[in-house]
């Protein structure tokens, strides 16, 4: 598709094509929805790639034009962009460049973009303009971002989205920029697809019920949500940046989803999981300035490790009978209320080798029976000591239990246990590692005397 501005709703119903801007540069092409109650792109075929566009609704961002789009980032104030220029309707141009595959280190099976791209530029059989309104009834909104959408949708088919994948496989959405209050990318019962290197402002990514084995990688989301919906399995959210929004959410009844290497800044919740009773892994995420860093509600058998959480209200919050989860190797600092908060019969969780440095490290209400240390064993712990055991308990004043307690045998474990709450103890609290003794680097070389 050549540079310019277009006002269209496009249905893609032929598999194996790539639709892209001429130079795959999203600054050059703006596509605005003709009908605000329909998706700009509605993908109904497998092995389709959409790449290199600016995409927005019809009225909500009418002041956006190609000339006003440059150096787009999550912090761009789109409300200050210039007035809308004339729109062109030449939207039936398809690029015939090869559909590139995305290399990554994950083992999501069958997630490949191995389709051949046809040369059917300007062929209406490849993707059809849809200028007709879909049947819409007042229904659920997206729940995405501070400003809720006003679009009507009955929960069937595609909502008003930038790009909607409707029951398809092996599609790729990459290097696009999405503006406005509608959904950004919406997947409905779609699998083995990739959403890669896109920028979202006031919309975001939503995987609806039944989505599985999708890769969501290197996206930037500002003032919106990033949602895995109900009954979604085996999805990967990796190295995304989410800021000034409602964070990352995972809804009930799915499992085996991976949330890894993401940066989440200034959100109401960093990562929020509700009613997930099969293993979900949250690891290696950086969460800064969020009210609740990681928020688990009625969650079983999940793994939360190697996360860094700082400058929020509560670092990790477990409530409503969260049990049999493992929390380890997390660093939680500068929380206003507590480093970890356990509520409503959350018990039988294993919590060890974490670094807590907060004015109040633990709050617990109506809960007991959590395990705060593993068996002592050789291995470098979170503060560099020689043994694994419990957790490191610090406070900003330097008077935390682990900071002041004795470690008489220098095994990296405090001599006394630390009482957490009521009958709960960390029996192997980590000790401050001793300062390394000075090493005498002076070497005297002596020549052996002849015998």
């Amino acid at each position: 598709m050549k540079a310019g501005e277009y006002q269209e709703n496009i249905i893609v119903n032929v598999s194996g094509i790539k639709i892209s801007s001429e130079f795959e540069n999203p600054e050059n092409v703006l596509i605005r929805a003709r009908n605000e109650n329909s998706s700009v792109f509605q993908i109904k075929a497998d092995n389709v790639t959409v790449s290199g566009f600016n995409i927005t609704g019809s009225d909500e961002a009418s002041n956006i034009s190609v000339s006003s789009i440059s150096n787009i980032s999550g912090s761009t104030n789109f409300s200050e962009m210039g007035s809308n220029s004339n729109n062109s309707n030449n939207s039936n141009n398809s690029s015939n460049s090869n559909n590139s595959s995305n290399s990554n280190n994950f083992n999501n099976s069958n997630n490949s973009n191995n389709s051949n791209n046809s040369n059917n530029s300007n062929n209406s059989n490849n993707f059809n303009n849809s200028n007709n309104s879909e049947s819409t009834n007042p229904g659920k909104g997206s729940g995405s971002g501070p400003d809720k959408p006003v679009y009507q949708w009955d929960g069937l088919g595609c909502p008003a989205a930038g790009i909607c994948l409707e029951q398809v496989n092996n599609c790729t959405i990459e290097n696009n920029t999405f503006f406005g209050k509608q959904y950004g990318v919406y997947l409905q019962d779609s699998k083995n697809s990739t959403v890669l290197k896109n920028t979202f402002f006031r919309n975001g990514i939503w995987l609806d019920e039944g989505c599985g084995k999708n890769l969501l990688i290197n996206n930037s989301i500002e003032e919106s949500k990033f949602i895995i919906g109900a009954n979604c399995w085996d999805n990967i959210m990796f190295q995304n940046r989410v800021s000034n929004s409602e964070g990352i959410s995972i809804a009930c009844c799915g499992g085996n989803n991976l949330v890894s290497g993401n940066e989440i800044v200034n959100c109401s919740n960093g990562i929020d999981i509700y009613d997930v009773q099969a293993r979900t892994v949250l690891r290696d995420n950086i969460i800064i300035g969020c009210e609740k860093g990681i928020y688990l509600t009625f969650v079983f058998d999940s793994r939360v490790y190697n996360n860094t959480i700082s400058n929020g209200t509560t670092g990790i919050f477990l409530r409503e009978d969260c049990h049999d989860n493992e929390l380890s190797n997390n660093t939680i600092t500068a929380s206003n209320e507590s480093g970890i908060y356990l509520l409503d019969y959350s018990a039988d969780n294993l919590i060890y080798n974490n670094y807590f440095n907060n004015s109040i490290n633990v709050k617990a209400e109506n809960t007991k029976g959590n395990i705060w240390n593993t068996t002592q064993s050789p291995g470098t712990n979170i503060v560099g000591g020689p043994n694994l055991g419990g957790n490191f308990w610090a406070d900003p004043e330097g008077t935390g239990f682990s900071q002041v307690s004795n470690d008489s045998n220098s095994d990296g474990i405090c001599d006394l246990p630390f009482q957490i709450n009521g009958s709960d103890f960390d029996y192997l609290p980590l000790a401050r590692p001793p300062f390394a003794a000075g090493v005498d680097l002076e070497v005297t070389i002596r020549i052996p005397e002849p015998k």
Side-chain angles (χ1 to χ4, degrees), residues 305-306 326-330 350-355 371-393 407 409-414 426-431 433:
Y305 62 95
N306 292 353
E326 183 176 309
L327 287 65
S328 64
N329 291 74
N330 301 290
L350 176 58
I351 305 167
Y352 73 98
N353 203 39
N354 300 286
Y355 178 89
I371 303 166
W372 295 87
N373 55 267
T374 187
T375 303
Q376 183 172 337
S377 60
T380 303
N381 63 43
I382 197 166
V383 291
N387 282 288
L388 298 174
N391 303 278
F392 190 87
W393 304 99
D407 174 15
N409 60 359
S410 298
D411 63 352
I413 306 297
C414 296
D426 181 346
Y427 291 100
L428 299 169
L430 303 180

Side-chain angles (χ1 to χ4, degrees), residues 101-108 111-113 194 196 215-218 236 238:
S101 61
N102 295 311
S103 171
N104 56 69
N105 293 324
F106 299 116
N107 293 323
N108 257 19
N111 192 1
S112 61
N113 302 314
T194 300
L196 172 70
L215 300 179
L216 315 170
I217 304 174
N218 286 335
I236 293 172
F238 180 65

Side-chain angles (χ1 to χ4, degrees), residues 398-411:
T399 58
F401 186 88
S402 293
Q403 293 168 307
V404 299
S405 295
N406 291 327
D407 174 15
S408 57
N409 60 359
S410 298
D411 63 352

Side-chain angles (χ1 to χ4, degrees), residues 260-308:
S260 175
N262 301 283
E263 183 178 0
I264 307 167
V265 181
N266 296 332
C267 296
S268 53
N269 297 316
I271 304 172
D272 176 6
I273 306 181
Y274 173 73
D275 192 10
V276 173
Q277 301 175 28
R279 179 168 297 187
T280 293
V281 175
L282 314 179
R283 74 180 191 203
D284 303 307
N285 300 287
I286 297 173
I287 303 171
I288 302 171
C290 298
E291 182 178 346
K292 300 177 185 70
I294 293 175
Y295 188 19
L296 308 183
T297 305
F298 197 53
V299 173
F300 311 163
D301 192 34
S302 289
R303 300 293 179 265
V304 180
Y305 62 95
N306 292 353
N307 302 285
T308 300

